[in-house]
Every structure is written in structure tokens, then in C-alpha cells.
Amino acid sequence: MILNLSDRLGRLSANTRLVIWLVLLAAMALLAAQALSRGAGVQSDILAMLPKIQEDPLTQRAIDRVEQQLANRIYLGVVSPDQATAIKGAKQLLSALQGAPEAFTQVQSADMQGAQALNRFYFPYRFHLLTTQQKDLLATGQLAKLEANTLAQLYNAFGYANSQLLSQDPLLLYPELLKQLSPQRRLKVVDGILVGQELAQEATVRTSLNKDTQGSSVATVMAQGVGSAFNPKAQELQLARLEVAISQMRQSLGSEQKVSVLKGGALFHAAAATKQAKREVSSLGLASLIGVILLVWLAFRSIMPLTIAALTIATSLLFALSATLWIFTQVHLLTLVFGTSLIGIAIDYSFHFYCERLQSQKADSGITATNAVARVFPAASLALLTTVIAYLAIGLTPFPGMQQVAVFCAAGLLGAYLTLIFAYPKLANSAMRPGDRALGLAAHYLNAMQTIARPLSGLKGVALALGLLLVAIFGLNRLGVNDDIRALQQSPLSVTQGEQRLRQVMSGGTDNQFILVRAETAEALLTRLEALSPTLGSLQHQGVLGNSVNLAHYLPSQASQQEAYRLQGQIYHKLPEVLARLGLDGDLAPSLMASFEASTNETITPDNFFASRAGELFAPLWLAPDGAQAHAHAQTQAQMQVQPSDKTSDSDGATYGAIVLLGGITDLHALTQAISPLSGVTLVDKVQDISDVMAKYRSLTLSLLALALVVAGLIFSLRFGLKMALWITAVPALAALLTLAGLGLAGSPLTLFHALALILVFGIGVDYSLFFAESHRGEGVMMAVFMSACSTLMAFGLLAFSQTPAIHYFGLTLLLGIGLTFVLSPFIHTLTRIDK
């Protein structure tokens, strides 16, 4: 089939082919222009590379809600040995950020209005509210202890008792409740600013500046960024406003003040990743391009091959960008970083073409570019087919970023191939200088490989095979795996250290994991939240958990409120005696009793709580079903005359849910074990879910590699026969095996990105074997393979020095794999000549 296609193309003139190529270029340029007109651009959101996890509707709503609330928040801590200076600096930051509404919203420190709102909301419901300790004392008949606490407050000069409060709450139960509702943090409010103390033993790694701030005060400021923290434009705007605000604060405080600013939030991690990716795109791509240009010049010593090579690369990049923008609308920065390797692969067609011309013109000085294209066409076509299959295998993964890489590189290679077929016959037809020296070096190297290969028969060959097998087994035995997604995005120490210090001051902050509690009614949900509270308290006491935000503390169930009302009845049913023991006026009894009895049915409900100013802050943690769905669900239950089941409904449309935020998790396994016995309670860990998917697709990718080897062998057997096909596929297979062993010996854990790179080792390695199998004279192929390997190693070798772990793993694997393939592929020439 390939030979028939070659004959048909041979009937086309060079001019006709050039016109076809120009039409294809114009079509791809038009495609790119149309994509850009639709708003296509460059994206740096690392989350866009992650796989889409299929969750049940309620869990997905919870994940979206948490990401919406937390993803774009930033935290700033002004650190100074002097508390007054830290507070002054925080106030200035607060004012500056509030003056930049285009970049930040919800700029605050201590929410004084929120605290007042809590007081105003809860006070009318005080007869239905009690702390856990108050409930225990009343339930066990220890009213005297409550009275003793009240007397202590009455005679305490710094107590919170006053005549107005006593006339409505004689045992002063309500102030204790408000204290319980306050966040359990080591932060205090000073002049409207949240202030914490950074202790020396809490800091991990200190710079010389930070040593001066041990034991310092930290005044915190929080804000919500406008737009995604992973959007480059939003990043740039927010960082610019922050830089100006911090600079103005430092100038205002004076240089004599020792002040530093701690930063936390996704914005700073995303900005570091964007900066790093942009730097690597420019540096790695430029270095690869310069290396390829030098390689072509040294090999051919002519401007024309260099021009044609540059044209091939430019066409390849046009096809790659046009296809990616058309399919995905946005091209990821990491796709461009990976795509720099395309330069090293796309130019292979130019190398094989010119090396074929150099070798053929020794026998026939009149050989044309059309003849040279015809001679490399079969091997180039099979090489394109196998490499595109390799990239399509990468595209089967659930990672949108890797799908982009697959489309980008496959389309780019197709563009280079079409340039070879349609543009080279006309544009690359100029006379070439003799390449005897380059071909002579290639011939010497090939002869050396053949000299090494000849004795490797019989016992020597078996011994070598056993030696390689032992090395492979030893390396594979030491090869571990690491599918943790967190290992693929490592921020600089300058970002992580400051954030860690700030998290310590804020008692751990908020982690990515959270608990989702679900039930079929609101009351059942609140009951489950209350049942969860003792477990969370125990975990915090054990140090497994730093803090948690549970709605049960702020929104008690109806059963809990009725129990509190019943227990307080012990006080109000004998109110005159209680007032007498406290030394209070007995005339207060009638009005107090009237207020108590009038509040029988005045309870807090989800509706009135979340509609209040006090409940606004907690509303995102409540997941109620849609009104229509909830009504239909209630009607169904009434018709069936059954009670709500403890089991989760098949459809989450009419299920209530609540999010419990967690912070300072030190033992995730212990946390999971502690909550697993609780009904309707699950830990949502999106990071672990993604890591599990990575493990699954790592195994799948390695299986695809084995399948690709089998499919390639079957395809090659149609042209070369079964025995030759086995030799051709043996080279990339052995290279992949030895690469895995090398990773094991180097102590590099196996990840999905190593597996994806092995797919390309297969695709590129098969190319080298194919050209050797197709060629009757090996010098030209050896020269082309040498240049191809050098260009690929330059591209992928540079990726191995990337600071982004995923790119580093990808490049390191290809560096090892392509290097081994280059060493092994010349043996195909010897083996195929023996067979022939």
C-alpha cells in the first residue's frame, strides 16, 4: 500500500506538490486565525492539566463549593517584633487592598461586624442553646456548679456580668455559649486586627532576616482574589497591586522597622509555576533550536539544508499550534514546554532526506530531490504511523494537558511529514556539496558496531544477554512507584516556607481534604454533624487534626435545641430560689419566666440561620437540594409512609449535605479510620482521587506500550516478514526495559510521566530501526540517525533539567531511552544484512 501511494505521488510534478503544500499551509493558518478570533490563547492553570474525576452530584457540588471559597483566597501576615508596628502595617495593607476592588474583594482581618451579628442572632434563641459542659451539669443535676460560676462572674471586676444581661440571663449561660462559638485559634483581636504570636520553635527554616523575627507578632490580613488564581492576567494584576501595597507599607513604617510579610494562598504557588514555565519555554526551546542549527551546519556546511530545516520546524509548529488551538481553544504553557521536544523530532525528516541525497549522489550525481523523497518515503511513512500511534496512546490518558501534548506533537509531526513529501521536491532540489567526510565517519561507526556484533554469537551472545538480564532484574527490583499528584508540582522554598509559618500562626489553616456529611432531611443531617463533633474533638486532642469548622457548632438540630430548652426548665421552674441564692432581685422572676415560656417554639432553623448576617459566612458549607426536587422527594416519602432511611439515596438530587472544613491534618490514615464507622460521613480527598487515577493510567500506559509493540510487529511483518519485524521491535523494547532498570538504579520512582515517555521511546526507537531495515547502504542512515538522536537528546535532555517534576521525569526517561536506542539500533543493520 505504501509503495502504491509512493508511485501515485511520483506522478505529481514538483510544482504541483508545492502548490498542494502551500494550500495546506494556508488552510492551517486560517484555522489558527479563526481559533484566535474565538478567544483562543495561552493558559497556565495547572488544574487544567488534571484529570476530571467522575464524582456523584453531591460530592461534585461540595468540591466545587470548596474550590470556589478557598482557591482564590490569599493570606498575608505582617511580622514584627513590635505588636503595634505589625498592627499598623496590617491596617495599611488592609486599606490599600480595599482600594483595589478590581483585584481583591472581601478584604478583612478580624470580622467585628460578624461577631456582633452572631450575638444579635443567637440571643433571642438563648433558651434553646447550651454548651456541652452546661448540658452535662444540668443533666446530672449539678445546678450548684452553674450558680457558683455565676457568682464568680458577679464578683469579678473583669467579668462580663451586667444588670441588663442578668435581667434576661440570670445564670450567665449565654456568654459562655458565645465563647464556644468563637474560633478555637491562638489569634486575638487587637484594634480590629487579628494578631498571633510566632514562637521560635514553630519556624522550620530561617533566613538571617527571619532570625530577627523569632517570637514576633503576626498581624493577618485576608482577601479574595478577583478571577482565578491560575489565570495569568488575574495573577499579574493581583501581584502588581500586592507589590505596590507592600512597598507603600514599608515606606510608611520606615526602614528602621524590622518588618517582613508572610504570604499564603494558591496565587503565589500559581505565579511561581507560571514564571517557571515561561522561563523554561524560552530557555529550553531556544537552546534546542540553537543546538539543531549548529548540528545541521556542522553536518552539511550549507545554508540551504539549514533553511529547509528551519522551514520544516516552522511548518511543524504551525500545524501543532493550529490543531491544538482549534481543538482545545487554549494551549497550556506546559504543552509548549513539552512541545519544545517537537523541534528535535520534526527535523528528523530533513536529516534523513539530506543524508539519503549525500549517500545516493556518490553513485548517481544526477539524483534529484524527488528521487530522494521517494527513497525515504516508505520508512518515513511507517515512522510517522508508529510515532503518531505512540502520541495517540498518550492522548488516551484522562489528563487534558497530556491530551494537548499528544495533539500538539502528532499534528506537528504530520506537518513536517507533509513538508517532506510536498515541499522538498521543489525547494530542496539545489545541488549539494560532497559529504564524504560525514559519511565516512558514519561508515566507520557502523563498521565498529558490526565488529562488536559479529563475535556476539554462541556463548558470548548468551553471556551478554544474561548480563543485561541480570542488570535489568536488579534495576527493576529497585524501581518504586510514586503516583502522588503533589510530587508533580513543587513550589520554591521562598513560597512554601512563608506559607508554612503563616499556617502555624493560624493553627494550621485549611487543608485540601474535607468531610462531606449527607442525609435525606435537614434534621437528620444536623444530627449526624453533632454525632461527628466528639470524633473531631478527640482527633484534635490527639494532634491528628489542627482545627475543623463544623456547622453543628453554629446550627444545632431541633432535637438538641429542645433538649437544651428542657434542661433550662430546671432553672426556670424554680427561678425564685435560684435568684435568691444568687442575691438577685426576686422581682425579675415573672418577666424571665414569661420570656422562657414564650420562646417554646422559637428555634433556629436552617432557613432563618442562613438568611441572617450571622449565617452568611457558613452558607457555603450547606448543600440543600433544589426546591422542586426537595418537594417531590418529600411527597414521595409521604405517599410511601416511610421514615427517611439512613442510606444515601440513589440520586443525590434530593439529598442534603454539609461540608466540614479541616486544617492541620497530620495523619490522614488515622482521620479516615476514625470517621469510617459514622453513617453518611465520608472524607473527600480530591488530591488522593487524582493520584489513584494516575496510578491506574500508569498501569494502563505500560499495557498500551506492550500492545503497541505487538501491533507494530504485526504491521512490520507485512513488509519485512515476521523474523525481521521481531528484530525491529526488539530495539525499542529492550531500550524501554533497560530505561526502567536505569530509573530503578538511579532511585527515581516510576510515575505516569515516565510511562508516557516510554511510549515515545518506542515511537522514536522504531523509527531508527525502520530506516536501518529499509536502507541497502547504512552510511547515510547512520549519519541521519546520529543527527536525529543528537537533536532529540538535546531537546529531551534539556527537559530533564526542568524544575517542574513532571517535565523532568518525562525528559529524564527519554534521555535514557533515546540514548539506549541510538546505541542498539545500528545492530539492526548487521542483523538485516545477515538475514538477506
Side-chain angles (χ1 to χ4, degrees):
M1 184 178 69
I2 292 178
L3 293 177
N4 291 335
L5 183 59
S6 179
D7 291 339
R8 291 180 182 178
L9 288 172
R11 299 190 190 106
L12 298 176
S13 66
N15 289 331
T16 303
R17 293 193 189 191
L18 182 62
V19 170
I20 293 173
W21 179 72
L22 291 173
V23 169
L24 290 173
L25 275 187
M28 296 307 293
L30 183 62
L31 201 66
Q34 190 172 0
L36 291 172
S37 67
R38 294 184 309 180
V42 178
Q43 181 190 76
S44 65
D45 186 350
I46 190 65
L47 298 179
M49 287 196 71
L50 301 181
K52 305 302 180 184
I53 306 296
Q54 295 298 320
E55 303 280 8
D56 63 81
L58 187 65
T59 302
Q60 190 57 54
R61 284 177 61 197
I63 291 172
D64 294 341
R65 190 73 63 85
V66 171
E67 289 181 349
Q68 180 183 0
Q69 291 299 311
L70 301 179
N72 301 323
R73 288 196 69 79
I74 67 164
Y75 303 86
L76 304 173
V78 181
V79 185
S80 174
D82 178 51
Q83 179 177 289
T85 302
I87 293 172
K88 182 178 179 182
K91 284 186 174 181
Q92 292 181 359
L93 278 182
L94 198 67
S95 176
L97 297 183
Q98 287 173 341
E102 72 282 3
F104 298 103
T105 61
Q106 301 178 30
V107 183
Q108 62 182 20
S109 184
D111 188 2
M112 301 302 293
Q113 294 182 349
Q116 295 172 0
L118 283 174
N119 183 28
R120 287 195 298 269
F121 175 79
Y122 284 111
F123 191 75
Y125 304 102
R126 63 191 179 279
F127 299 115
H128 288 83
L129 302 172
L130 286 172
T131 67
T132 302
Q133 183 183 20
Q134 290 168 350
K135 279 187 177 181
D136 292 341
L137 291 175
L138 288 172
T140 54
Q142 300 183 62
L143 180 59
K145 285 190 176 182
L146 290 177
E147 293 175 350
N149 180 64
T150 305
L151 288 172
Q153 292 297 323
L154 287 173
Y155 295 104
N156 185 351
F158 301 99
Y160 38 72
N162 58 66
S163 58
Q164 183 178 0
L165 181 59
L166 286 168
S167 67
Q168 301 177 79
D169 182 19
L171 283 181
L172 301 177
L173 301 178
Y174 183 67
E176 291 295 328
L177 176 75
L178 283 183
K179 287 171 62 178
Q180 179 178 277
L181 293 175
S182 301
Q184 300 300 309
R185 291 176 177 172
R186 291 173 297 176
L187 301 179
K188 58 183 178 180
V189 179
V190 181
D191 201 11
I193 299 294
L194 277 176
V195 181
Q197 198 71 17
E198 185 182 29
L199 304 178
Q201 60 268 28
E202 290 178 342
T204 53
V205 181
R206 302 282 190 177
T207 63
S208 58
L209 173 62
N210 293 333
K211 288 178 180 177
D212 296 331
T213 62
Q214 292 185 8
S216 298
S217 296
V218 182
T220 61
V221 174
M222 296 162 281
Q224 185 85 6
V226 176
S228 171
F230 300 96
N231 182 292
K233 292 184 179 178
Q235 279 181 26
E236 184 178 351
L237 178 61
Q238 292 173 28
L239 291 173
R241 296 294 183 269
L242 277 175
E243 185 177 351
V244 170
I246 293 173
S247 176
Q248 290 177 346
M249 178 201 72
R250 292 184 188 279
Q251 291 178 2
S252 176
L253 294 177
S255 58
E256 69 279 359
Q257 297 291 342
K258 294 179 180 179
V259 174
S260 60
V261 178
L262 303 178
K263 303 173 184 176
L267 170 66
F268 307 106
H269 294 275
T274 301
K275 182 179 179 181
Q276 181 174 292
K278 287 181 177 179
R279 183 174 62 249
E280 291 179 356
V281 165
S282 58
S283 60
L284 298 182
L286 181 61
S288 178
L289 186 60
I290 291 174
V292 168
I293 290 172
L294 289 174
L295 187 65
V296 174
W297 176 259
L298 293 174
F300 302 113
R301 300 300 178 94
S302 172
I303 193 66
M304 194 60 193
L306 197 58
T307 304
I308 295 298
L311 181 65
T312 304
I313 293 173
T315 305
S316 176
L317 292 176
L318 173 63
F319 272 68
L321 284 171
S322 298
T324 304
L325 289 174
W326 177 257
I327 295 173
F328 297 99
T329 305
Q330 301 283 332
V331 58
H332 201 284
L333 269 175
L334 291 183
T335 300
L336 297 179
V337 175
F338 278 111
T340 59
S341 61
L342 182 61
I343 296 172
I345 303 175
I347 204 172
D348 289 357
Y349 297 113
S350 181
F351 292 157
H352 284 287
F353 169 81
Y354 277 108
C355 289
E356 179 62 33
R357 285 201 67 185
L358 280 178
Q359 186 175 23
S360 298
Q361 74 179 4
K362 293 175 66 177
D364 181 7
S365 59
I367 186 172
T368 63
T370 302
N371 299 137
V373 169
R375 291 184 180 182
V376 300
F377 178 80
S381 299
L382 284 173
L384 174 71
L385 177 63
T386 53
T387 308
V388 168
I389 288 174
Y391 278 119
L392 290 179
I394 292 178
L396 293 176
T397 65
F399 287 74
M402 296 314 298
Q403 291 169 0
Q404 278 198 15
V405 170
V407 170
F408 187 92
C409 293
L413 286 179
L414 179 62
Y417 173 79
L418 293 175
T419 303
L420 168 71
I421 303 303
F422 293 108
Y424 278 40
K426 181 66 177 179
L427 301 180
N429 202 31
S430 58
M432 294 188 64
R433 297 179 181 178
D436 295 340
R437 182 178 180 184
L439 289 172
L441 291 174
H444 285 307
Y445 181 81
L446 193 59
N447 290 333
M449 291 295 101
Q450 291 177 335
T451 302
I452 294 172
R454 286 192 189 101
L456 297 179
S457 58
L459 292 177
K460 290 184 178 179
V462 173
L464 178 62
L466 287 175
L468 289 176
L469 181 61
L470 288 174
V471 171
I473 292 174
F474 182 70
L476 292 174
N477 188 53
R478 298 189 59 179
L479 183 64
V481 296
N482 183 9
D483 299 301
D484 192 344
I485 187 67
R486 285 164 290 205
L488 299 179
Q489 182 62 49
Q490 297 177 357
S491 297
L493 288 177
S494 58
V495 175
T496 57
Q497 287 180 2
E499 182 172 87
Q500 182 61 28
R501 290 174 59 193
L502 192 55
R503 286 172 66 92
Q504 290 291 337
V505 172
M506 300 180 71
S507 299
T510 302
D511 290 329
N512 293 319
Q513 299 86 359
F514 62 89
I515 291 174
L516 176 62
V517 183
R518 66 180 78 206
E520 293 186 359
T521 65
E523 178 65 10
L525 177 61
L526 293 173
T527 301
R528 286 180 173 175
L529 287 170
E530 289 171 347
L532 176 63
S533 291
T535 301
L536 295 178
S538 175
L539 291 171
Q540 288 181 235
H541 180 72
Q542 297 170 26
V544 172
L545 192 63
N547 61 77
S548 62
V549 180
N550 187 349
L551 274 173
H553 294 301
Y554 307 95
L555 179 57
S557 66
Q558 293 297 306
S560 177
Q561 292 183 67
Q562 292 300 336
E563 175 67 8
Y565 186 80
R566 184 188 67 80
L567 290 172
Q568 289 197 54
Q570 299 179 24
I571 302 171
Y572 290 93
H573 290 155
K574 44 186 175 181
L575 192 56
E577 294 89 340
V578 172
L579 293 176
R581 284 194 294 269
L582 295 175
L584 300 177
D585 189 349
D587 293 340
L588 295 174
S591 60
L592 279 170
M593 193 62 189
S595 298
F596 177 76
E597 292 177 346
S599 66
T600 303
N601 298 317
E602 292 181 3
T603 59
I604 302 172
T605 65
D607 289 341
N608 60 35
F609 178 69
F610 294 119
S612 69
R613 173 70 176 83
E616 285 180 0
L617 179 64
F618 305 101
L621 304 181
W622 183 260
L623 302 169
D626 294 336
Q629 291 175 315
H631 180 67
H633 185 64
Q635 282 187 331
T636 302
Q637 285 190 338
Q639 291 170 1
M640 296 177 63
Q641 295 182 348
V642 296
Q643 293 299 319
S645 170
D646 285 340
K647 296 181 180 179
T648 303
S649 61
D650 294 334
S651 171
D652 284 321
T655 300
Y656 285 83
I659 298 166
V660 179
L661 297 179
L662 307 173
I665 300 173
T666 59
D667 189 340
L668 195 59
H669 178 72
L671 171 63
T672 305
Q673 291 294 106
I675 67 171
S676 58
L678 301 177
S679 177
V681 179
T682 55
L683 179 70
V684 179
D685 188 353
K686 186 178 179 182
V687 172
Q688 185 59 48
D689 290 343
I690 294 173
S691 299
D692 292 340
V693 169
M694 288 186 66
K696 173 185 174 182
Y697 279 91
R698 170 181 49 77
S699 300
L700 178 60
T701 302
L702 293 176
S703 300
L704 285 173
L705 176 59
L707 179 62
L709 285 168
V710 174
V711 172
L714 293 175
I715 293 174
F716 299 153
S717 65
L718 298 176
R719 178 164 176 79
F720 302 106
L722 182 59
K723 185 177 181 180
M724 190 76 69
L726 291 176
W727 284 123
I728 293 172
T729 54
V731 168
L734 184 57
L737 187 65
L738 292 176
T739 298
L740 288 174
L743 292 173
L745 293 173
S748 178
L750 183 64
T751 69
L752 172 62
F753 291 93
H754 290 101
L756 293 174
L758 286 176
I759 292 283
L760 288 189
V761 169
F762 154 75
I764 297 171
V766 164
D767 291 358
Y768 297 168
S769 300
L770 277 173
F771 278 101
F772 274 117
E774 283 282 357
S775 175
H776 296 285
R777 298 183 299 273
E779 295 86 352
V781 175
M782 188 68 251
M783 179 180 174
V785 167
F786 172 76
M787 296 181 67
S788 173
C790 285
S791 62
T792 306
L793 287 173
M794 277 189 289
F796 290 121
L798 289 173
L799 289 183
F801 292 99
S802 170
Q803 297 301 308
T804 303
I807 300 175
H808 166 73
Y809 295 152
F810 198 83
L812 177 62
T813 307
L814 279 161
L815 182 66
L816 293 172
I818 298 304
L820 289 167
T821 302
F822 170 74
V823 173
L824 295 172
S825 60
F827 291 112
I828 292 293
H829 181 72
T830 302
L831 295 170
T832 54
R833 299 291 78 75
I834 292 174
D835 286 342
K836 293 181 179 179

